[in-house]
Amino acid sequence: MDIALLVIGLLAFGGFFYPLIRGLYSYRKAKSLPFPNKTQGFLILGGALGISLGFMLLNLALVLANPSWAEVTAWAEGTVFEGEAVSYGGNLALILIFSFLFALSFVTLWGNFYLHFRKEGFDEKARKLNNWFLYGAIPLAVIFFCLFTSGYGPYLSYPFINGASIGGKSGWLWTTAHDRGATEGGLHVAFYGIFIVFGVFVCYWISDHYFFKKYGKHGILDLIAVVGFLCGIIGARLWYVVGNWDREFANASFDKVFAIWDGGLTILGGAALGILGGVITARLAKPYVDLRWGVDVIVPTILLAQAIGRTGNFFNCEVYGQVVSVDGWRFLPNWLLAQMGMNGGSGHLAPGLIHVPLFLIEAAVSICGFFVLYVVIGKLLAKWRRPGDLAGCYFIWYGVVRAIMEPLRDSAYNMGTDNAWSVVNSLAYILIGVAIVLFFHLFDDFRKRKDGTPSSIASAFFLLVSLFLPLAVSLTATEGTNTFLMGYVGYDIIFSGKAPADLAAWVLALLALLLSLASIGIRYWKKEAPFYKYFLYGAGLLAVISAALLFFATGNGGIEEVPGATKDEVNFNVSYGFAIMAILLLVSLVPSASILIADIMKAREGKKALAEGPEGTAETSSQPSEEERDKPSEAKGGDED
């Protein structure tokens, strides 16, 4: 019976794809039709229902192929739901009803996604209807997936498979979080890596669509995506190694630095270096691309890639939240909670306890962030938005999310010797985002009005705030690993007489503030005086030197006695307050950089104008360059066919 259902299900599931695709393609090509005609509608609806029926039959065949499931009356020992009753009939109903509805909602989502990006000829009513089906199918697909898969929960093994090992100690092996040692010497294909690659493809597909609409050509992002992905992997690993050097790498062989197959990638470093690598590649290889427009298209999609990549943490049993009772989380699928009841690769938590599913929370918030950036900031606030702002807002959004979520982590998965590395990186992300948004606004305002007063005020503001940062606890003395003994305010270190680098950094920051204030005064004293900019440039230079001194200063600031210490050896960690102060000093450089770059661009434009003839045509050659011949024409839309 199960074999017959399997064959029928496969035939229905695979066979009905043809009418569905044929109907969608025919409707997409008919540019004059805002809605499908009867034939197209019959093919689309019939194909969707046939695929859904086939998927339901496949699930029924799977259940019937496992008759032992009917004998399971309670959850297995050691799981989070240990001893709780299991209803075979109820689970079968969940699987059949909601597998059909999930397949139907997913096909609806996929079909409307395809039409949304490829169909032309939509009128306003048809476009709204497409959006309703597209965005309405997303939550329905998620809900139905959770419901139908919950029927399988009591019959699954935990932890879940997280990859496959080929040719290792055990030959071919489906691996879990418990089998990491068995993968040595072989090729390990991890689901984590598959999810990361799939996330990159999602970024590419969405971005390539918008590039096609603007430039009328696919494939512009091919090289940019490859370089950005490789830089992202390097940055993710590099930042993890730097943050966990003392905990994992200082006393290990150097080749462990490259062992990314054992885990150890951080999104914060990967996204930053990936974006930087992509921007440089675009500037060198595709100089005709509007970079500010391009980063606004591409960078927000990274949130979707991060949401997809976080699923790999779920299968790897890593990056957990704190241990809590399962009772407040029972609205989630039972299989997800059972996986969260795993204690990494070392067994189960006690029944009734789970780790907070941070991977799921971060994935959901990242998806919400994508829509906030594209819809709220990109469209509803378009009047106040400048090109490049969405890229900056990505850093702000993700930095805020991580700053809130990092304290919720299980401390075993924090980074840094004092478990605060990720929090500081999150704050750095926020400041980087603020710096990007600030730069583009000041740059455009200066180019438009030639008034540098806003830049001087912004520089003075960040310098003033940075001088208050040492009021935070800037040195923590710890006994062992995390035992808090005593915290010192940063000014205790600066003026201890034994921290010359920190004192010099503070003095330079104060001088930079005075120069910024002087540039403001000059603007109000004599508006046409151009030399105010040199005071601002000087403030920026001093800020850079001050930040460098803070970053590279080491030691305990000369404080030798630690009240409350009971051991001879006490570890001193220079506060992250100084690190954030240094980042603020670098942000204060942004306003002066906006004026400097605007002046440089103005000078280049003036030289270019002089190099051209009196009628605006270049004197050197009337033939287009090779770059101009290869440049795709801009287009509002169009079909590549």
Side-chain angles (χ1 to χ4, degrees), residues 246 416-419 473-483 486-488 493 553-557 570-578:
D246 291 331
T417 54
D418 54 1
N419 295 329
V473 176
S474 290
L475 184 72
T476 300
T478 59
E479 188 177 22
T481 54
N482 297 316
T483 306
M486 180 61 71
Y488 295 88
I493 300 171
T554 58
N556 61 16
V570 177
N571 301 318
F572 291 93
N573 297 315
V574 174
S575 162
Y576 290 113
F578 282 150

Coordinates of all heavy atoms in Angstrom, one line a residue, residues 246 416-419 473-483 486-488 493 553-557 570-578:
D246 N 42.3 34.1 22.5 CA 42.8 33.6 23.8 C 42.0 32.3 24.2 O 42.6 31.5 24.9 CB 42.6 34.7 24.9 CG 43.6 35.8 24.7 OD1 44.6 35.6 24.1 OD2 43.2 37.0 25.0
G416 N 35.2 36.3 23.1 CA 36.1 37.1 23.9 C 36.3 36.5 25.2 O 35.5 35.7 25.8
T417 N 37.4 36.9 25.8 CA 37.8 36.4 27.1 C 36.9 36.8 28.2 O 36.7 36.2 29.3 CB 39.2 36.8 27.5 OG1 39.3 38.2 27.4 CG2 40.2 36.1 26.5
D418 N 36.2 38.0 28.1 CA 35.3 38.4 29.1 C 33.8 38.4 28.6 O 33.0 39.1 29.1 CB 35.7 39.8 29.6 CG 35.8 40.8 28.4 OD1 35.6 40.4 27.3 OD2 36.1 42.0 28.7
N419 N 33.6 37.6 27.5 CA 32.2 37.4 27.0 C 31.5 38.7 26.5 O 30.3 38.8 26.7 CB 31.4 36.7 28.0 CG 31.9 35.3 28.3 OD1 32.5 34.7 27.5 ND2 31.8 34.9 29.6
V473 N 32.8 51.9 32.9 CA 33.8 51.1 33.6 C 34.8 50.7 32.5 O 34.5 50.0 31.6 CB 33.2 49.9 34.2 CG1 34.2 48.9 34.8 CG2 32.2 50.3 35.3
S474 N 36.0 51.1 32.7 CA 37.0 50.9 31.6 C 38.1 49.9 31.9 O 39.1 49.7 31.2 CB 37.6 52.2 31.2 OG 36.7 53.0 30.5
L475 N 38.1 49.3 33.1 CA 39.0 48.3 33.4 C 38.3 47.3 34.3 O 37.8 47.7 35.3 CB 40.3 48.8 34.0 CG 41.4 47.8 34.3 CD1 42.0 47.3 33.0 CD2 42.4 48.3 35.2
T476 N 38.4 46.0 34.0 CA 37.7 45.0 34.8 C 38.8 44.1 35.3 O 39.5 43.5 34.4 CB 36.6 44.3 34.1 OG1 35.6 45.2 33.7 CG2 36.0 43.3 35.0
A477 N 38.9 43.9 36.6 CA 39.9 42.9 37.1 C 39.1 41.6 37.4 O 38.1 41.7 38.1 CB 40.5 43.4 38.4
T478 N 39.5 40.5 36.8 CA 38.8 39.3 37.0 C 39.7 38.2 37.6 O 40.9 38.2 37.3 CB 38.3 38.8 35.7 OG1 39.4 38.6 34.8 CG2 37.3 39.7 35.1
E479 N 39.2 37.4 38.5 CA 39.9 36.3 39.1 C 39.4 35.0 38.4 O 38.2 34.7 38.5 CB 39.6 36.3 40.6 CG 40.5 35.3 41.4 CD 40.2 35.5 42.8 OE1 39.1 36.0 43.2 OE2 41.0 35.1 43.6
G480 N 40.3 34.3 37.8 CA 39.9 33.2 37.0 C 39.3 33.6 35.7 O 40.0 34.3 34.9
T481 N 38.1 33.3 35.4 CA 37.5 33.6 34.1 C 36.5 34.8 34.1 O 36.6 35.8 33.5 CB 36.8 32.4 33.5 OG1 35.9 31.9 34.4 CG2 37.8 31.3 33.1
N482 N 35.5 34.7 35.0 CA 34.4 35.6 35.0 C 34.1 36.3 36.3 O 33.1 37.0 36.5 CB 33.1 35.0 34.4 CG 33.3 34.5 33.0 OD1 33.8 35.2 32.2 ND2 32.8 33.3 32.7
T483 N 34.9 35.9 37.4 CA 34.5 36.4 38.7 C 34.9 37.9 38.8 O 36.0 38.3 38.7 CB 35.3 35.7 39.8 OG1 35.1 34.3 39.6 CG2 34.9 36.1 41.2
M486 N 36.6 44.2 40.7 CA 36.5 45.6 40.9 C 36.6 46.3 39.5 O 37.3 45.8 38.7 CB 37.7 46.1 41.7 CG 37.7 47.6 41.9 SD 36.2 48.2 42.8 CE 36.6 47.6 44.5
G487 N 35.8 47.3 39.3 CA 35.8 48.0 38.1 C 36.3 49.4 38.3 O 36.0 50.1 39.3
Y488 N 37.0 49.9 37.4 CA 37.6 51.3 37.5 C 37.0 52.2 36.4 O 37.0 51.8 35.2 CB 39.1 51.2 37.3 CG 39.8 50.5 38.5 CD1 40.0 49.1 38.4 CD2 40.2 51.2 39.6 CE1 40.6 48.5 39.4 CE2 40.9 50.5 40.6 CZ 41.0 49.2 40.5 OH 41.7 48.5 41.6
I493 N 42.2 55.5 35.0 CA 43.3 55.0 34.2 C 44.0 56.1 33.5 O 45.3 56.2 33.6 CB 42.8 53.9 33.2 CG1 42.1 52.8 33.9 CG2 43.9 53.4 32.3 CD1 41.4 51.8 33.0
A553 N 46.7 50.6 22.8 CA 47.1 50.7 24.2 C 46.8 49.4 24.9 O 45.7 48.8 24.8 CB 46.5 51.8 24.9
T554 N 47.8 48.8 25.6 CA 47.6 47.6 26.3 C 48.0 47.7 27.8 O 48.6 48.7 28.2 CB 48.4 46.4 25.7 OG1 49.8 46.8 25.7 CG2 48.0 46.2 24.3
G555 N 47.7 46.7 28.6 CA 48.1 46.7 30.0 C 47.0 47.1 30.9 O 45.9 47.3 30.5
N556 N 47.3 47.2 32.2 CA 46.2 47.5 33.1 C 46.2 49.0 33.6 O 45.6 49.3 34.6 CB 46.4 46.6 34.3 CG 47.7 46.8 35.1 OD1 48.4 47.7 34.9 ND2 48.1 45.8 35.9
G557 N 46.9 49.8 32.9 CA 46.9 51.2 33.2 C 47.6 51.6 34.5 O 47.4 52.6 35.1
V570 N 45.8 37.8 38.8 CA 44.5 38.5 38.5 C 44.6 39.0 37.0 O 45.6 39.5 36.6 CB 44.3 39.7 39.4 CG1 43.0 40.4 39.0 CG2 44.2 39.2 40.8
N571 N 43.6 38.7 36.2 CA 43.6 39.1 34.8 C 43.0 40.5 34.7 O 41.9 40.8 35.2 CB 42.7 38.1 34.0 CG 43.3 36.7 34.1 OD1 44.5 36.5 34.1 ND2 42.4 35.7 34.3
F572 N 43.7 41.3 33.9 CA 43.2 42.7 33.7 C 42.7 42.8 32.2 O 43.5 42.4 31.3 CB 44.3 43.7 33.9 CG 44.6 43.8 35.4 CD1 45.7 43.1 35.9 CD2 43.9 44.7 36.2 CE1 46.0 43.2 37.2 CE2 44.3 44.8 37.5 CZ 45.3 44.1 38.0
N573 N 41.5 43.3 32.0 CA 41.0 43.5 30.6 C 40.7 45.0 30.4 O 39.9 45.6 31.1 CB 39.7 42.7 30.4 CG 40.0 41.2 30.5 OD1 41.0 40.7 30.0 ND2 39.1 40.5 31.3
V574 N 41.4 45.6 29.4 CA 41.1 47.0 29.1 C 39.7 47.1 28.7 O 39.2 46.3 27.9 CB 42.1 47.5 28.0 CG1 41.7 48.9 27.6 CG2 43.5 47.5 28.5
S575 N 39.0 48.1 29.2 CA 37.5 48.2 29.0 C 37.1 48.4 27.5 O 37.9 49.0 26.8 CB 37.0 49.3 29.8 OG 35.7 49.7 29.3
Y576 N 36.0 47.9 27.2 CA 35.4 48.2 25.9 C 34.9 49.6 25.8 O 34.5 50.1 24.8 CB 34.3 47.2 25.6 CG 34.8 45.8 25.4 CD1 34.5 44.8 26.3 CD2 35.5 45.5 24.3 CE1 35.0 43.5 26.1 CE2 36.0 44.2 24.1 CZ 35.7 43.2 25.0 OH 36.2 42.0 24.7
G577 N 34.8 50.3 27.0 CA 34.5 51.7 26.9 C 35.5 52.5 26.1 O 35.2 53.4 25.3
F578 N 36.8 52.1 26.2 CA 37.9 52.8 25.4 C 37.7 52.4 23.9 O 38.0 53.2 23.1 CB 39.2 52.4 25.9 CG 39.7 53.1 27.1 CD1 40.5 52.5 28.0 CD2 39.2 54.4 27.4 CE1 41.0 53.2 29.2 CE2 39.6 55.1 28.5 CZ 40.5 54.5 29.4

